[in-house]
Amino acid sequence: MAGPVIALVDDDRNILTSVSIALQAEGFVTRLYTDGLSALRAITENPADLGVFDIKMPAMDGLELLGRLREGGGGAATMPVIFLTSKDQEQDEAFGLAAGADDYIAKPFSQRLLVARIRAILRRADMARRPAEGESEEPVPAVIERGRLLMDPARHQVQWAERPVTLTVTEFMILEALAQRPGVVKSRNQLLDVAYQEDVFVDDRTIDSHIKRIRRKFRAADNSFDAIETLYGVGYRFSDG
């Protein structure tokens, strides 16, 4: 049985080859693309289970590629994505998360770390998908209703005031953690524990970027959305009032 399919997009063929070999050794199936344009066409027609995109590429960079995929609908719109960023371009991290990426890794990177993060994200995606497809006998997670918010973890579906909102796997996990206990403050570290369950090193400010992205998506459905509150120096909480 074939393993999860990983779409690798990078204009550096040496990186593509070395990462592909490492992932195949771990049981993954890889598809390689050296530019964003060819990756956009292929992934739109046949989405992978997860994408690993370099940000700095000619013609169409990783940010534009992800944005086009997220706007296109279908399976490609919700495909988890990890960005590879240049170590000397720290702003890439914020841009990548703001564009809807699930994670980022700075170059040069450990292939072991990349594999760990891929597995962590795929595990979360699988948890969201399996009960809805009847592939697991585990109890189906309960639907969460909080004011105008409706979350169905089994189907990875979110609605606000009966309007659908599309979230990445990481965004869904963060919002779910907040919505499960309205009014209770969650620190950045607590939300990191939810979003990154593997032994990986992630700046706690990563959560801020995810929260901004979540708010932006909900405000696209309802400009008055203010259910996620910031308590400066403390963390975040969900209000269903």
Side-chain angles (χ1 to χ4, degrees):
M1 182 177 179
V5 177
I6 311 298
L8 303 176
V9 189
D10 198 313
D11 60 332
D12 187 327
R13 293 180 182 273
N14 290 328
I15 290 179
L16 277 181
T17 300
S18 62
V19 172
S20 178
I21 291 173
L23 293 182
Q24 289 177 14
E26 295 292 330
F28 296 103
V29 176
T30 58
R31 299 177 187 160
L32 311 185
Y33 308 97
T34 57
D35 65 272
L37 285 171
S38 62
L40 176 62
R41 290 191 293 267
I43 296 172
T44 299
E45 295 176 0
N46 189 15
D49 293 298
L50 181 143
V52 178
F53 300 168
D54 184 31
I55 286 188
K56 301 297 184 182
M57 294 185 293
M60 178 183 291
D61 63 18
L63 292 171
E64 183 180 356
L65 171 59
L66 179 58
R68 296 278 293 274
L69 290 172
R70 292 285 186 249
E71 294 170 358
T78 56
M79 182 185 73
V81 168
I82 297 174
F83 268 136
L84 301 180
T85 69
S86 301
K87 191 173 183 180
D88 60 348
Q89 296 292 327
E90 294 182 0
Q91 69 268 25
D92 287 350
E93 300 170 358
F95 291 155
L97 293 172
D102 290 88
D103 205 347
Y104 62 84
I105 296 179
K107 296 180 179 179
F109 57 89
S110 158
Q111 293 183 351
R112 182 177 178 183
L113 175 62
L114 176 60
V115 169
R117 293 200 181 182
I118 287 174
R119 291 195 185 282
I121 292 175
L122 287 177
R123 185 177 299 115
R124 296 199 302 272
D126 190 55
M127 288 170 59
R129 186 186 73 249
R130 278 196 170 191
E133 296 181 353
E135 298 174 358
S136 173
E137 296 180 358
E138 297 177 0
V140 176
V143 172
I144 299 172
E145 294 187 61
R146 301 287 186 266
R148 287 174 285 176
L149 175 69
L150 178 66
M151 299 187 72
D152 186 344
R155 294 175 173 80
H156 194 78
Q157 293 177 348
V158 182
Q159 290 185 358
W160 178 261
E162 300 184 352
R163 298 175 182 175
V165 179
T166 301
L167 300 180
T168 67
V169 173
T170 302
E171 292 164 354
F172 191 98
M173 299 288 280
I174 291 171
L175 178 61
E176 183 180 20
L178 292 171
Q180 283 176 337
R181 301 186 66 189
V184 175
V185 179
K186 295 280 188 179
S187 69
R188 290 187 181 90
N189 284 336
Q190 287 175 316
L191 293 175
L192 278 175
D193 288 342
V194 170
Y196 300 92
Q197 297 174 357
E198 294 288 330
D199 183 19
V200 296
F201 302 97
V202 182
D203 190 315
D204 62 1
R205 293 295 173 177
T206 298
I207 293 297
D208 297 344
S209 295
H210 284 305
I211 292 290
K212 289 178 182 177
R213 181 72 180 180
I214 293 169
R215 284 173 170 157
R216 188 178 303 121
K217 289 182 176 182
F218 275 88
R219 285 171 182 163
D222 176 3
N223 191 50
S224 65
F225 175 82
D226 61 357
I228 299 177
E229 301 176 354
T230 302
L231 281 79
Y232 293 99
V234 182
Y236 298 95
R237 70 181 172 196
F238 184 86
S239 173
D240 60 354

